[in-house]
């Protein structure tokens, strides 16, 4: 059974909320959000967004045609971003292990963990099938990158704390939605855009689930939740940071406008923080107030960094345009 709303008991204090107590206290919220999710999530079929008629044998065992970059209409930026997105999705077994270990496999928590995993698995299946059928990427390099990335496994920066884990995924799911959606817009292929829009819709529903769960956690354990939010925001990394060549790919993705500091600040951090009214949240103790202040200082600094990035981005793109015109 869920613990009664002991959040009103001042004797607990911030140190009284262990991960186990929080997981039990939030069980009813998880059940409510799970039911809401199942009521609004719409079934879709990955195979319907893959142009199978474009597929043909590759070279190798079947003696087909070798891959060539000219065989696909996907843009170079779209190709880089699609590979990063897919390799991130590929590490799903590690992600499942992380959250199943943290949240458990029983009750509403367990049902959510398995449902989330099933929906995320659909994303990797759909993107890989699309990329191979349309010859958008080198299949040999893609498989080698998958093997290298998954062989390293994944260890969350937030595995030490249930609240940190919930805070992280509230932001990360929205970041993933934005990344998929913008990748589709820049991919140069209308069908790819449609596919990634479907995936982005799933990611948005996942974000809403975790965001609402984080809101409930703020009400139950405000100081601990505020500390978790501040830590996650100030040390945020996307789960694909271990992908081989990630830094170079991330730079291309940022410059191209798929995902960068400005997008991260304006379209990921701020919407979640505003919805939760984090910067206006009252009733905090000393620990929570310190975390809230740290968060405000960090956001101001991030906004300044984003402005500097935009200036560099504009200068680089202007130089590229000038070279194209000169040529």
């Amino acid at each position: 059974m869920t613990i009664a709303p002991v959040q009103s008991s001042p004797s607990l204090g911030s140190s009284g909320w262990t991960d186990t107590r929080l997981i039990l206290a939030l069980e009813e919220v998880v059940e409510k959000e799970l039911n809401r999710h199942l009521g609004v999530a719409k079934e879709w079929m990955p195979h319907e967004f893959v142009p199978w008629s474009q597929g043909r044998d590759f070279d190798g065992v079947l003696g087909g045609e070798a891959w060539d970059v000219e065989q696909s209409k996907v843009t170079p930026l779209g190709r880089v971003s699609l590979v990063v997105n897919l390799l991130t999705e590929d590490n799903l077994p590690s992600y499942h292990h992380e959250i199943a270990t943290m949240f458990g496999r029983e009750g509403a928590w367990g049902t959510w963990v398995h449902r989330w995993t099933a929906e995320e698995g659909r994303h990797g299946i759909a993107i890989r099938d699309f990329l191979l059928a349309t010859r958008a990427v080198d299949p040999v390099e893609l498989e080698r990158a998958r093997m290298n990335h998954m062989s390293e496994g994944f260890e969350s920066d937030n595995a030490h704390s249930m609240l940190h884990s919930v805070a992280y995924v509230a932001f990360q799911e929205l970041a993933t939605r934005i990344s998929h959606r913008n990748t589709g817009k820049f991919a140069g292929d209308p069908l790819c855009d449609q596919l990634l829009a479907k995936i982005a819709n799933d990611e948005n529903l996942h974000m809403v689930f975790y965001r609402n769960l984080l809101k409930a956690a703020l009400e139950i354990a405000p100081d601990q939740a505020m500390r978790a939010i501040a830590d996650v925001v100030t040390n945020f990394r996307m789960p694909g940071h271990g992908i081989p060549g990630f830094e170079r790919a991330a730079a291309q993705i940022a410059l191209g406008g798929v995902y960068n500091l400005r997008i991260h600040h304006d379209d990921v951090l701020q919407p979640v923080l505003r919805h939760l009214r984090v910067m206006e949240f009252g009733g905090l103790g000393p620990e929570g107030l310190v975390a809230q202040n740290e968060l405000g200082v960090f956001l101001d600094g991030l906004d300044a960094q984003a402005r500097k990035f935009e200036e560099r981005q504009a200068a680089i793109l202007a130089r590229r345009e000038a070279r194209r015109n000169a040529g």
Side-chain angles (χ1 to χ4, degrees), residues 189-258:
D189 185 317
L191 187 57
C192 181
D193 190 21
Q194 291 180 46
L195 169 61
L196 292 181
K198 281 288 185 184
I199 293 174
N201 285 340
D202 282 355
E203 302 288 8
N204 193 63
L205 291 179
H206 298 165
M207 178 276 293
V208 171
F209 178 95
Y210 287 119
R211 184 196 64 192
N212 292 351
L213 190 58
L214 183 56
K215 182 178 181 180
L218 266 170
E219 296 169 356
I220 290 174
D223 284 355
Q224 283 177 270
M226 188 64 71
R227 180 75 268 167
I229 292 169
D231 288 346
V232 164
V233 169
T234 55
N235 297 284
F236 185 86
R237 296 195 294 175
M238 290 293 275
H241 59 79
I243 293 171
F246 178 79
E247 295 300 328
R248 183 172 183 273
Q252 293 174 268
I253 288 168
L255 187 61
V258 173

Side-chain angles (χ1 to χ4, degrees), residues 153-222:
F154 173 79
E155 184 175 354
S156 170
D157 296 330
N158 304 288
H160 62 288
S161 160
M162 175 268 189
L163 277 178
H164 283 71
S165 296
V166 171
Y168 176 74
V169 288
F171 294 103
Q172 180 265 322
E173 292 285 1
L174 181 53
T176 304
R177 176 181 80 86
I178 297 291
S179 179
H180 281 307
R181 196 67 194 90
N182 286 345
T183 296
K185 292 178 181 177
F186 287 106
D189 185 317
L191 187 57
C192 181
D193 190 21
Q194 291 180 46
L195 169 61
L196 292 181
K198 281 288 185 184
I199 293 174
N201 285 340
D202 282 355
E203 302 288 8
N204 193 63
L205 291 179
H206 298 165
M207 178 276 293
V208 171
F209 178 95
Y210 287 119
R211 184 196 64 192
N212 292 351
L213 190 58
L214 183 56
K215 182 178 181 180
L218 266 170
E219 296 169 356
I220 290 174

Side-chain angles (χ1 to χ4, degrees), residues 17-294:
W17 284 111
T18 63
D19 282 357
T20 300
R21 287 185 62 84
L22 281 167
I23 287 171
L24 288 171
L26 290 168
E27 177 87 22
E28 289 180 4
V29 180
V30 172
E31 184 173 4
K32 174 185 174 184
E33 290 303 314
L34 172 63
N35 290 335
R36 181 199 54 77
H37 176 85
L38 295 175
V40 297
K42 291 183 171 54
E43 181 183 63
W44 62 276
M45 299 298 164
H47 71 273
E48 294 180 355
F49 293 88
V50 179
W52 301 102
S53 59
Q54 295 181 25
R56 55 194 187 277
D57 294 344
F58 286 99
D59 57 335
V61 176
L62 297 178
E65 183 180 0
W67 180 83
D68 186 88
V69 70
E70 300 298 327
Q71 293 168 348
S72 170
K73 58 186 175 183
V74 169
T75 64
L77 174 61
R79 183 176 298 111
V80 170
S81 190
L82 280 162
V83 169
V84 168
N85 289 356
L86 175 56
L87 293 178
T88 300
E89 300 282 0
D90 276 334
N91 244 349
L92 181 60
S94 288
Y95 307 149
H96 174 85
H97 173 76
E98 288 271 350
I99 65 172
T101 301
M102 175 66 70
F103 300 144
R105 296 173 173 82
E106 304 299 327
W109 281 102
T111 302
W112 166 254
V113 166
H114 296 309
R115 173 71 187 205
W116 175 88
T117 301
E119 292 183 2
E120 291 289 344
R122 179 166 59 194
H123 302 164
I125 292 169
I127 296 174
R128 174 169 281 100
D129 285 349
F130 179 88
L131 294 182
L132 295 180
T134 63
R135 292 182 169 245
V137 300
D138 183 340
V140 174
E141 291 304 312
L142 181 65
E143 176 59 12
R144 287 173 177 165
R146 186 190 70 84
M147 287 294 294
N148 289 338
H149 183 42
M150 292 191 68
S151 294
E152 292 296 320
F154 173 79
E155 184 175 354
S156 170
D157 296 330
N158 304 288
H160 62 288
S161 160
M162 175 268 189
L163 277 178
H164 283 71
S165 296
V166 171
Y168 176 74
V169 288
F171 294 103
Q172 180 265 322
E173 292 285 1
L174 181 53
T176 304
R177 176 181 80 86
I178 297 291
S179 179
H180 281 307
R181 196 67 194 90
N182 286 345
T183 296
K185 292 178 181 177
F186 287 106
D189 185 317
L191 187 57
C192 181
D193 190 21
Q194 291 180 46
L195 169 61
L196 292 181
K198 281 288 185 184
I199 293 174
N201 285 340
D202 282 355
E203 302 288 8
N204 193 63
L205 291 179
H206 298 165
M207 178 276 293
V208 171
F209 178 95
Y210 287 119
R211 184 196 64 192
N212 292 351
L213 190 58
L214 183 56
K215 182 178 181 180
L218 266 170
E219 296 169 356
I220 290 174
D223 284 355
Q224 283 177 270
M226 188 64 71
R227 180 75 268 167
I229 292 169
D231 288 346
V232 164
V233 169
T234 55
N235 297 284
F236 185 86
R237 296 195 294 175
M238 290 293 275
H241 59 79
I243 293 171
F246 178 79
E247 295 300 328
R248 183 172 183 273
Q252 293 174 268
I253 288 168
L255 187 61
V258 173
Y259 198 93
N260 53 43
L261 282 179
R262 175 52 65 200
I263 292 170
H264 183 63
H265 178 276
D266 290 1
D267 300 335
V268 176
L269 298 183
Q270 290 293 354
V272 175
L273 294 172
R274 281 196 301 267
H275 182 86
L276 299 176
R277 301 182 65 82
V278 167
M279 300 313 298
E280 299 84 40
F281 198 87
L284 296 169
E287 178 188 2
L289 288 171
V290 168
Q292 190 180 52
N293 183 66
E294 288 177 11

